[in-house]
Amino acid sequence: MKRKVFTKYLVLILIFAGSTQAQETLRLEQAVQLALENNFDIRLTKNDVEQAKNNLNRANAGMLPVVTGNFSTNNTISNTKQTLSSGVLQERNGARNSNLAYGPVLNWQVFDGFEMFARYERLKELEQLGEANLKLTVQNTLTDVINNYYDLVSQQQQVKALNEALNISQLRLRNSNNRYKIGKAAKLEVLAASVDLNTDTTNLLRQLDVYRSTKIRLNELLARGISTEFKVSDTIIIGNNLLLADLQSSASQLNPSLQSALINRRIAEINLKQVKASRYPSININSGYNFNKSTSELGFARTSTGRGLNYGLSASINLFNGYLQKRNEKNASLEIDKSKLQYDKLNQNIISQLTSLYQTYRTNLELVKLEQENLAVAKQNMDITLEKFRIGSVAPLEFREAQRNYINANARFTNSQFEAKLAEISLLQLSGKLNLE
């Protein structure tokens, strides 16, 4: 049995060593930079922004004239009979006729009730909406990257604590076996030590599995090889200088979701301008230069050519369309009201989240201090109990309880750090101030 337990322990040590040794340390700054350069969501959103920029031009708003080049040719072969006014009969089989026309044509809508200007304003707002969506995507991606990174830091600390507990359990099993051999311990003590060692081994294996899965997720966010091996830093630094009033003020100006809601409200107002444009007349200028040539093998004119400039002006106005204009304007006004309500709802929701998260953040800061003190006490108790165990002056159950208290205190301290950091990151994200400082 001792040999089987030792073999399991050796395999576990090799797994743990392979997951932590000879690996490049990935700093948080490097992870963020890789995400900004490679993350697929960010790259896709950047593509949308470029499209919005390309769409922002006066031609797309309908402000510029349209010039086309036209060309047409028609040919016929027919059997023709003609009786002239003089009574003379003309007849020909297979008579060929052709008509050729070509030239440039200009069409320019010079007035459409100011709708073209409203369309141009809308294109500007759509470009800004694309920029706001890019900021939102970047913020969300950075949040995921930073959360996953500190999750790995937390798990890495738990792996170290569990490995330390495993070392202690291995020491306990060896000690119990030695005591059993010289007759100072019962077989039951050896079996209990073996069971606890297996329990600690299982806990470490499960923690290593979660650790590796989180590394895969972070590699996915960084858009690099899923199996890329790395390790992270071993500390979680928590900022403790956040103020709720500053966060709320910053959110009203920098939060990308609020910025998008403001832009959508302006787009709704512009849409009303476009709808009202239908009340005004539409005026178009058209012009062109044409060349015509026609030939006929039968008739008065065998060949005819012509070229020249043509130009004109057309105007139209909607006089009645079944009250659709009034309905469309009413709907556009309702969209403006709707966009205002959506902004107010989102603003209130963000303030609510900030207030709640800030309370959680302050509570977690206090918990970090408390759990740090608890860990120090549990560590001291573990060290004293271990020394007593070495000299055989403490019961195995008491030793195991001290070991379990130390493991739990370490886990609580690590989790409190991670939870405090998550709250801090969420506050910075909502306020639009998420960065690496």
Side-chain angles (χ1 to χ4, degrees):
M1 182 183 68
K2 180 180 178 182
R3 183 177 300 173
K4 289 182 179 179
V5 171
F6 178 75
T7 302
K8 280 189 194 175
Y9 179 70
L10 180 60
V11 170
L12 188 60
I13 289 296
L14 290 175
I15 293 174
F16 177 66
S19 66
T20 57
Q21 298 297 323
Q23 293 179 8
E24 176 188 359
T25 299
L26 178 68
R27 300 194 310 274
L28 179 59
E29 295 81 359
Q30 292 175 315
V32 168
Q33 188 61 37
L34 285 172
L36 292 175
E37 294 174 357
N38 301 329
N39 182 267
F40 290 112
D41 289 334
I42 292 178
R43 290 163 64 184
L44 287 169
T45 309
K46 284 182 178 178
N47 187 275
D48 293 338
V49 172
E50 288 301 316
Q51 288 182 337
K53 289 181 179 179
N54 289 335
N55 288 333
L56 179 57
N57 58 73
R58 297 184 183 278
N60 201 28
M63 293 182 174
L64 302 181
V66 177
V67 180
T68 58
N70 294 337
F71 174 87
S72 65
T73 178
N74 295 294
N75 298 276
T76 61
I77 300 175
S78 61
N79 299 325
T80 305
K81 272 185 183 181
Q82 291 183 342
T83 301
L84 304 181
S85 58
S86 61
V88 177
L89 177 65
Q90 291 184 344
E91 183 177 358
R92 173 163 293 189
N93 293 328
R96 295 178 179 273
N97 301 303
S98 66
N99 185 34
L100 174 68
Y102 60 87
V105 176
L106 178 144
N107 187 28
W108 190 1
Q109 188 176 36
V110 294
F111 183 75
D112 62 352
F114 308 105
E115 184 178 359
M116 63 180 70
F117 299 101
R119 282 196 298 266
Y120 191 66
E121 288 181 42
R122 188 172 187 273
L123 291 174
K124 289 181 179 179
E125 295 299 334
L126 288 175
E127 182 188 20
Q128 294 185 22
L129 182 61
E131 295 285 353
N133 288 335
L134 177 58
K135 290 179 182 178
L136 180 61
T137 301
V138 169
Q139 290 276 303
N140 289 339
T141 302
L142 289 185
T143 299
D144 288 342
V145 169
I146 297 173
N147 286 347
N148 274 270
Y149 186 90
Y150 283 114
D151 193 8
L152 281 174
V153 175
S154 174
Q155 292 179 31
Q156 194 169 265
Q157 291 175 347
Q158 292 186 41
V159 167
K160 289 180 180 179
L162 290 173
N163 188 62
E164 184 180 350
L166 195 63
N167 290 332
I168 296 174
S169 293
Q170 179 68 11
L171 173 64
R172 175 189 168 196
L173 179 60
R174 287 198 303 267
N175 187 287
S176 296
N177 268 307
N178 292 335
R179 286 162 51 83
Y180 173 70
K181 287 179 181 179
I182 62 176
K184 289 189 175 182
K187 185 68 173 179
L188 185 61
E189 181 180 328
V190 177
L191 293 175
S194 179
V195 170
D196 290 339
L197 176 60
N198 287 335
T199 299
D200 293 340
T201 302
T202 299
N203 292 337
L204 180 55
L205 280 172
R206 287 176 174 169
Q207 185 59 53
L208 284 172
D209 182 62
V210 175
Y211 179 70
R212 287 192 291 266
S213 296
T214 308
K215 286 173 70 173
I216 291 173
R217 172 56 181 159
L218 183 56
N219 280 330
E220 180 186 2
L221 288 171
L222 303 184
R224 62 179 187 172
I226 296 299
S227 301
T228 302
E229 288 294 340
F230 63 95
K231 58 183 179 180
V232 295
S233 62
D234 56 0
T235 56
I236 298 178
I237 301 175
I238 306 167
N240 58 359
N241 57 349
L242 298 182
L243 299 176
L244 181 58
D246 293 342
L247 293 170
Q248 291 175 341
S249 176
S250 177
S252 64
Q253 301 175 17
L254 301 178
N255 183 276
S257 297
L258 278 178
Q259 290 179 340
S260 296
L262 277 174
I263 295 171
N264 283 324
R265 188 172 72 181
R266 291 198 294 266
I267 290 176
E269 293 169 351
I270 292 171
N271 183 60
L272 178 59
K273 294 180 181 179
Q274 290 184 257
V275 172
K276 287 184 175 181
S278 298
R279 290 185 175 273
Y280 296 88
S282 174
I283 302 175
N284 292 268
I285 293 176
N286 54 78
S287 179
Y289 190 86
N290 296 326
F291 174 84
N292 295 286
K293 180 180 180 181
S294 60
T295 61
S296 174
E297 292 187 353
L298 187 67
F300 291 103
R302 298 296 178 92
T303 301
S304 175
T305 61
R307 66 182 65 189
L309 176 69
N310 64 78
Y311 54 91
L313 178 71
S314 63
S316 64
I317 187 171
N318 175 35
L319 299 178
F320 180 73
N321 64 352
Y323 304 107
L324 291 179
Q325 179 65 29
K326 184 177 181 180
R327 187 207 66 176
N328 292 339
E329 290 181 11
K330 179 63 176 178
N331 286 340
S333 297
L334 290 174
E335 283 296 323
I336 294 175
D337 295 338
K338 179 181 176 181
S339 64
K340 291 179 179 178
L341 290 173
Q342 288 174 334
Y343 174 82
D344 293 338
K345 176 184 176 182
L346 180 60
N347 186 51
Q348 185 183 51
N349 179 259
I350 289 175
I351 293 175
S352 175
Q353 290 185 64
L354 281 173
T355 305
S356 177
L357 277 170
Y358 189 77
Q359 181 62 45
T360 302
Y361 164 73
R362 300 304 307 180
T363 301
N364 283 328
L365 288 180
E366 294 299 322
L367 287 175
V368 168
K369 296 178 182 178
L370 178 62
E371 295 300 343
Q372 189 174 21
E373 294 173 359
N374 287 338
L375 178 59
V377 173
K379 175 64 174 173
Q380 184 179 10
N381 183 53
M382 181 71 247
D383 291 340
I384 295 173
T385 306
L386 182 59
E387 289 302 319
K388 288 183 177 181
F389 181 77
R390 291 180 190 274
I391 61 177
S393 63
V394 66
L397 289 178
E398 185 180 346
F399 175 82
R400 182 60 178 175
E401 185 64 22
Q403 184 186 24
R404 186 182 294 112
N405 288 338
Y406 172 68
I407 295 173
N408 293 337
N410 197 303
R412 289 198 307 271
F413 174 61
T414 301
N415 289 333
S416 66
Q417 284 185 306
F418 182 53
E419 292 296 330
K421 193 63 181 180
L422 287 183
E424 178 193 357
I425 294 168
S426 297
L427 287 171
L428 292 174
Q429 179 192 15
L430 285 172
S431 65
K433 297 169 62 176
L434 184 62
N435 52 49
L436 296 179
E437 298 178 358

